[in-house]
Amino acid sequence: MEFRVGGQRVAISVPNWAALQARVTERLAQRQGFALATMNLDHLVKLRRSATFRAAYAAQDFVVADGNPIVWLSRLAGRPVELIPGSDAILPLARIAAKQGIGVALVGSTPAALSRARSYLEREVRDLTVVALVSPPMGFDPEAPEARAVFDEIAESGAGLCFVALGAPKQEIFGAVGRKLLPHVGFAGIGAGLDFFAGAQQRAPEWTRKLAMEWLWRAVNNPRRLGLRYLRCLLILPAQSVRALLLRFFTLRP
């Protein structure tokens, strides 16, 4: 499944869970890094407005569908992909790292939340070692010279897999920069996943996720922060749906 934003092609490059786990397993086994982005409608909105974000997405090795609208559009296009939320990817990827004896770094959120997330992960994943907790300051810019200290800390820890919880577009930019500075480290953007583990944020109940209504639950519980974001997402759906149908019935030129 692919999208066109700002004159650039952005594709879901990993269609399902099996493919994601196989590719991450291979990369980590070979001590090769990667950058993983989890696409949703909010990302498509931001990609349309930011050349920097588009450049970061172009540097991602793996892109999965994090959002039911992306999955629905893929089905409409006749190119179905599975839903792979960033929060749900943390434990499977952590198990791969633990099995291969690879240390994990956690980046983002607050020191207290990261500490609780580490306790949760090391309790849930046998033999997992979290070797670094990095909580960048407010206003952190992954491309600024000051960010080098964060990457140096990850390098010194010996981590081979880094879960990045900075939100879009910072976590994708962070992964893109990290791929250049630390080519042996895998960077996975996972949104609020670590805060969920730490209890710093409450995730939508499982029944809402099964009904594909997590977005509504979040909007109702945080309308001031998410209301305008979801409105922008809804506004791009008609055009994206038309393009998905064109992909289904015609071969679109790049």
Side-chain angles (χ1 to χ4, degrees), residues 90 104-122 130-137 150 153 162-166 190-200:
I90 298 174
V104 169
L106 309 181
V107 176
S109 193
T110 65
L114 291 181
S115 180
R116 291 195 297 270
R118 174 175 60 186
S119 297
Y120 176 89
L121 285 168
E122 291 184 339
V130 177
V131 296
L133 304 178
V134 185
S135 178
V150 172
E153 185 173 350
C162 181
F163 291 116
V164 188
L166 295 173
I190 44 79
L194 299 179
D195 278 351
F196 293 151
F197 291 161

Side-chain angles (χ1 to χ4, degrees), residues 14-54:
V14 183
N16 52 52
W17 280 104
L20 176 63
Q21 293 183 66
R23 295 182 191 183
V24 170
T25 297
E26 180 181 28
R27 289 292 184 102
L28 294 184
Q30 296 175 353
R31 298 304 188 263
Q32 293 181 356
F34 61 84
L36 166 66
T38 55
M39 182 188 289
N40 54 38
L41 282 185
D42 180 53
H43 285 202
L44 288 181
V45 171
K46 289 181 168 69
L47 284 164
R48 290 156 60 103
R49 298 182 297 176
S50 171
T52 300
F53 195 21
R54 292 195 296 273

Side-chain angles (χ1 to χ4, degrees), residues 92-176:
L93 299 190
R95 292 187 181 105
I96 294 171
K99 188 175 181 179
Q100 297 189 17
I102 290 173
V104 169
L106 309 181
V107 176
S109 193
T110 65
L114 291 181
S115 180
R116 291 195 297 270
R118 174 175 60 186
S119 297
Y120 176 89
L121 285 168
E122 291 184 339
R123 183 173 64 250
E124 292 293 318
V125 181
R126 183 178 179 180
D127 297 327
L128 179 69
T129 302
V130 177
V131 296
L133 304 178
V134 185
S135 178
M138 289 291 292
F140 173 72
D141 180 356
E143 295 184 299
E146 295 78 10
R148 186 59 185 260
V150 172
F151 291 107
D152 287 344
E153 185 173 350
I154 295 169
E156 291 168 5
S157 74
L161 175 62
C162 181
F163 291 116
V164 188
L166 295 173
K170 283 188 180 180
Q171 64 191 18
E172 290 76 23
I173 297 171
F174 188 92

